[in-house]
Amino acid sequence: MTVVAPLIGVLALAAVSAAGARIGLTTLFCVVIPYAAILVFLIGVVWRVLSWARRPTPFNITTTCGQQHSLRWIQSSPLENPHTRLGVIGRVLLEVLLFRSLFRNVKHEFVSRENAAPRLAYKASPWLWLGALAFHYSFLVVFVRHYRFFSEPTPRSLQIVEMLDGFFQIGSPTIFVSGFVLLAAATFLLLRRLLLPQLRYISLPVDYFPLFLVIGIALTGILMRYTAFRTDTAAVKNLCIGLMQFKPPAATEPIGAIFFVHLTLVSCLFAYLPYSKLSHMMGVWLSPTRNLIGASRMRRHINPWNYPVAVHTYEEYENEWRDKMKAAGIPVDKE
Ligand code: HEM
């Protein structure tokens, strides 16, 4: 059920939108649902970010992967445990752009030895990192390339991206590598969950649902571009520019059921994003173990909402009880 329920969910979305296309519910599927999805997305983003921003950070959380800067003769680790703002920017950027902590994801297993007890060994495990990089970067390129539907004329910078992505051209239409890489990477991430027993054990429907959504989006997109399911891209562009200007065309030319499925899955992905684990896209920037300066040995971190506490110092205590303490033979600081 863990795998089947999200799969059925995505297939149901596809079936409903294809049926909507058949009975001519163009306004509902091409205007109302995309607008509603953007609204739900924006509300979700604001809610998420505000709720994270409200979380207290009473301590300076220093990650101890590397030595913090302290004494001159101890070598510090400026990227693992940066004590400057520049170091923190470097750490966050390496995390966001290269998924650095994922790169250090190692696999451990028992290696049997002759006449000796098995030994625990650590090995590099770069496949998840490579798959994740391929997935995210291809998604970014595909996403950026779609801007051509929303702009007239297509900006020069976008034409350059299209040219680089389409270097593999062997005919018409130009083959965009990123679309296929996206499909392959999402399928790899899905198979990894399905085929590795340990991973399947900890996977939940919410882990499968976004993968099925992305696979559905990439698959319908590829079908639209390279197969007999081709859509009228001029009509799509007309619709997208209308939506951008809040003037959706009153009667859209028939675009094809596959486009309805593509757009409904995209709308669902957007509406779902801020409320799901996909929000890591925003959260990584606000992660305290990445963005706090490891300078707790150099500077005292004062809890920002500390309120004044009425304390009774030892000095005051002794002043109060000095006579009695002396009479009882208890040593005092001041005679
Ligand atoms: C999360 C956002 C989206 C993703 C990941 C995505 C993915 C894809 C992919 C992989 C393709 C195959 C061709 C290519 O590589 O460009 C494609 C094609 C297509 N997509 Fe999307 N898409 C997204 C959003 C949209 C939106 C918002 C629209 C329109 C409102 C749209 C309309 C189309 C159309 C019309 C095609 C066929 C392109 C052609 O024939 O040249 N897509 N999409």
Side-chain angles (χ1 to χ4, degrees):
M1 225 26 205
T2 317
V3 187
V4 176
L7 178 61
I8 291 179
V10 174
L11 290 177
L13 281 170
V16 169
S17 43
R22 278 282 151 82
I23 54 175
L25 295 180
T26 310
T27 311
L28 176 63
F29 283 95
C30 295
V31 180
V32 179
I33 291 181
Y35 272 148
I38 297 290
L39 194 67
V40 174
F41 170 79
L42 291 178
I43 293 173
V45 169
V46 171
W47 165 75
R48 265 283 173 187
V49 173
L50 287 183
S51 84
W52 280 328
R54 273 204 306 267
R55 300 288 153 88
T57 314
F59 308 111
N60 186 359
I61 307 170
T62 48
T63 41
T64 48
C65 299
Q67 175 62 40
Q68 190 182 131
H69 180 79
S70 45
L71 301 167
R72 252 189 303 131
W73 63 88
I74 301 178
Q75 195 182 7
S76 75
S77 185
L79 268 179
E80 297 289 5
N81 210 335
H83 66 284
T84 59
R85 203 162 289 280
L86 197 66
V88 165
I89 292 173
R91 181 169 67 180
V92 171
L93 285 183
L94 282 177
E95 191 62 43
V96 172
L97 300 177
L98 293 178
F99 309 169
R100 184 162 169 262
S101 55
L102 193 61
F103 181 66
R104 293 180 304 180
N105 171 43
V106 287
K107 155 166 102 182
H108 50 277
E109 58 189 21
F110 282 102
V111 181
S112 43
R113 294 180 296 168
E114 235 176 84
N115 304 329
R119 193 167 52 97
L120 188 62
Y122 294 90
K123 288 187 185 160
S125 167
W127 295 112
L128 174 62
W129 177 73
L130 278 174
L133 268 186
F135 175 82
H136 287 84
Y137 273 102
S138 56
F139 195 110
L140 179 69
V141 174
V142 170
F143 186 76
V144 168
R145 267 201 294 95
H146 274 63
Y147 186 64
R148 78 181 189 282
F149 291 125
F150 296 86
S151 63
E152 183 56 50
T154 308
R156 180 88 192 105
S157 49
L158 208 60
Q159 289 175 12
I160 296 174
V161 174
E162 285 188 341
M163 198 184 71
L164 294 175
D165 198 10
F167 74 97
F168 204 50
Q169 177 160 20
I170 35 177
S172 178
T174 308
I175 291 178
F176 289 134
V177 176
S178 57
F180 291 95
V181 175
L182 176 63
L183 182 61
T187 310
F188 163 74
L189 295 175
L190 174 70
L191 289 179
R192 191 182 147 264
R193 275 194 190 277
L194 287 174
L195 300 181
L196 296 183
Q198 305 93 316
L199 211 63
R200 197 171 58 236
Y201 182 69
I202 57 164
S203 295
L204 299 170
V206 289
D207 295 311
Y208 292 109
F209 182 62
L211 285 172
F212 285 133
L213 265 185
V214 173
I215 290 175
I217 293 170
L219 207 58
T220 47
I222 285 172
L223 288 177
M224 266 191 295
R225 185 169 171 86
Y226 306 105
T227 70
F229 291 103
R230 271 199 76 79
T231 38
D232 178 356
T233 43
V236 171
K237 192 160 183 158
N238 197 21
L239 169 75
C240 294
I241 291 181
L243 287 175
M244 286 281 278
Q245 295 171 344
F246 295 106
K247 287 182 213 143
T252 359
E253 303 92 292
I255 305 181
I258 191 113
F259 174 74
F260 279 54
V261 177
H262 191 69
L263 189 57
T264 304
L265 296 185
V266 170
S267 303
C268 187
L269 185 71
F270 270 84
Y272 178 68
L273 196 147
Y275 308 93
S276 66
K277 69 173 200 173
L278 303 182
S279 57
H280 69 266
M281 175 177 133
M282 306 172 283
V284 65
W285 300 96
L286 299 170
S287 167
T289 59
R290 305 290 92 194
N291 67 15
L292 281 181
I293 297 179
S296 55
R297 290 191 203 146
M298 297 163 75
R299 260 191 308 279
R300 183 157 179 237
H301 180 79
I302 309 262
N303 183 352
W305 69 91
N306 264 357
Y307 51 88
V309 178
V311 289
H312 193 57
T313 62
Y314 177 74
E315 199 179 4
E316 287 163 352
Y317 169 87
E318 196 182 285
N319 287 343
E320 205 175 315
W321 299 98
R322 184 168 295 109
D323 296 342
K324 294 193 172 55
M325 288 168 76
K326 278 169 86 181
I330 299 173
V332 288
D333 278 0
K334 277 192 205 153
E335 282 304 324

